[in-house]
């Protein structure tokens, strides 16, 4: 078999394996291997590195398209001198993306013009650069799509879409109703055997903070009421020596007690 036929066969193998970047780089890499007297292993590593880089670039481009970010901002672009109220140390901590592993939500709250959207987009881009599937939406677009989905009977499908990314960013979130905020909160609490909880980045004006506090207080009050009812039911069942009713009420009380603790922690985080 001649050198030319071996070369053509190698090109054919690369094409069959859909390694287009490696196939395109093959002539130059062969010339470099000959000039530099590379070993077979070193030549193969260089050739495959070309394909790996091309694959990573395609994946990154795909993540960029899906994310639908409104601007090219990065966290490094933020002008802290112009906005001294923004905690640079906290933003630097967020840029490590540890909040994704902890499934911690991020809130950017402030008046217009302080850079909330820029920080939210910069954080989303950091997640994309790290290889995480991210999606950006405004509250207005989220409301419109959810409203249309409800009318067309596609609510569950739409919720699965928003629960799909590794990070969901909602801008101008102060316009979300309490009902839709609750749906978003439920999205953030979805966890499967293979997927972490969905972290959220919410950016909005001070009304967002007020609305979240109101929602948190309502949740705490409802959980406290459920706990009180369950404890009364358990006490009554114990007095009547009704073991089945007591155990059922005790189980409900234990669940309600957990809900109270979670609601208290959530409220403390917001305050």
């Amino acid at each position: 078999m001649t050198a030319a036929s071996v070369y053509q066969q190698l090109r054919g193998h690369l094409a069959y394996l859909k390694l287009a970047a490696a196939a395109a780089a093959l002539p130059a890499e062969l010339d470099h291997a000959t000039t530099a007297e590379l070993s077979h292993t070193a030549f193969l590593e260089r050739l495959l590195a070309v394909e790996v880089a091309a694959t990573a670039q395609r994946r990154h481009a795909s993540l960029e398209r899906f994310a639908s970010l409104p601007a090219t901002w990065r966290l490094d672009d933020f002008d802290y001198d112009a906005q001294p109220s923004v905690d640079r140390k906290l933003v630097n901590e967020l840029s490590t993306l540890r909040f994704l592993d902890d499934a911690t939500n991020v809130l950017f709250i402030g008046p217009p013009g302080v850079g909330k959207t820029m920080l939210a987009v910069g954080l989303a881009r950091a997640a994309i650069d790290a290889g995480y599937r991210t999606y950006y939406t405004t509250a207005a677009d989220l409301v419109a799509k959810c409203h249309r989905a409800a009318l067309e009977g596609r609510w569950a499908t739409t919720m699965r879409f928003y629960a799909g990314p590794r990070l969901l960013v909602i801008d101008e979130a102060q316009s979300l109703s309490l009902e839709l905020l609750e749906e978003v909160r439920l999205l953030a609490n979805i966890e499967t055997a293979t997927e972490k909880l969905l972290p959220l980045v919410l950016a909005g004006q001070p009304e967002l903070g007020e609305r979240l506090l109101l929602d948190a207080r309502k949740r705490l009050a409802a959980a406290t009421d459920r706990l009180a009812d369950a404890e009364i039911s358990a006490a009554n069942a114990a007095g009547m020596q009704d073991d089945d009713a007591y155990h059922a009420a005790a189980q409900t009380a234990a669940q309600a007690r957990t809900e109270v603790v979670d609601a208290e922690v959530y409220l403390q985080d917001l305050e």
Side-chain angles (χ1 to χ4, degrees):
M1 186 176 291
T2 65
S5 62
V6 170
Y7 172 79
Q8 291 301 328
Q9 191 173 41
L10 179 55
R11 287 289 297 261
H13 291 334
L14 293 173
Y16 180 80
L17 294 172
K18 298 182 179 180
L19 303 178
L26 181 60
E29 290 300 325
L30 283 171
D31 290 342
H32 176 78
T34 300
T35 302
E37 299 182 349
L38 297 182
S39 66
H40 295 152
T41 302
F43 161 72
L44 184 59
E45 190 281 328
R46 281 180 58 91
L47 185 64
L48 292 180
V50 171
E51 189 64 41
V52 168
T55 300
Q57 186 176 16
R58 288 194 301 272
R59 172 172 168 73
H60 188 273
S62 176
L63 291 174
E64 286 265 11
R65 287 192 299 272
F66 176 80
S68 303
L69 298 183
T72 59
W73 295 318
R74 295 182 177 277
L75 290 175
D76 290 341
D77 298 329
F78 193 81
D79 188 351
Y80 292 95
D81 293 331
Q83 299 295 342
S85 62
V86 175
D87 189 337
R88 184 196 292 261
K89 184 177 179 181
L90 178 58
V91 174
N92 288 339
E93 169 62 25
L94 291 173
S95 71
T96 66
L97 303 178
R98 278 195 284 267
F99 73 94
L100 291 177
D101 293 329
D102 298 336
T104 302
N105 297 328
V106 177
L107 300 177
F108 291 120
I109 296 176
V114 298
K116 301 181 298 296
T117 297
M118 188 174 188
L119 288 171
V121 170
L123 197 57
R125 191 166 298 283
I128 293 170
D129 290 343
Y132 293 108
R133 198 161 181 254
T134 301
Y135 189 75
Y136 169 95
T137 182
T138 63
D141 189 55
L142 176 63
V143 169
K145 288 182 177 178
C146 288
H147 178 68
R148 187 163 57 250
L151 292 177
E152 297 174 357
R154 297 184 294 102
W155 181 263
T157 301
T158 300
M159 289 297 102
R160 281 197 298 271
F161 171 80
Y162 285 114
R166 190 67 178 82
L167 175 64
L168 178 62
V169 179
I170 304 176
D171 199 5
E172 302 171 7
Q174 72 277 355
S175 61
L176 290 175
S177 66
L178 281 176
E179 292 76 16
L180 194 50
L181 271 174
E182 176 64 12
E183 292 291 341
V184 170
R185 187 185 66 80
L186 291 175
L187 276 179
N189 285 335
I190 294 174
E191 183 173 17
T192 68
T194 58
E195 296 293 335
K196 293 279 189 179
L197 295 172
L198 171 65
L200 302 172
V201 173
L202 300 179
Q205 295 178 27
E207 305 94 276
L208 172 61
E210 296 166 5
R211 191 165 291 152
L212 289 172
L213 280 171
L214 177 61
D215 177 57
R217 287 167 182 149
K218 284 184 176 181
R219 285 175 53 199
L220 178 57
T224 302
D225 287 344
R226 285 194 295 274
L227 175 58
D229 290 344
E231 288 178 337
I232 291 173
S233 297
N236 290 338
M240 293 184 294
Q241 297 184 342
D242 187 337
D243 291 343
D244 291 339
Y246 172 78
H247 289 305
Q251 185 175 6
T252 301
Q255 182 179 356
R257 196 170 292 110
T258 299
E259 292 175 357
V260 168
V261 171
D262 290 343
E264 287 175 340
V265 171
Y266 178 57
L267 181 58
Q268 289 170 2
D269 289 342
L270 289 173
E271 293 177 334

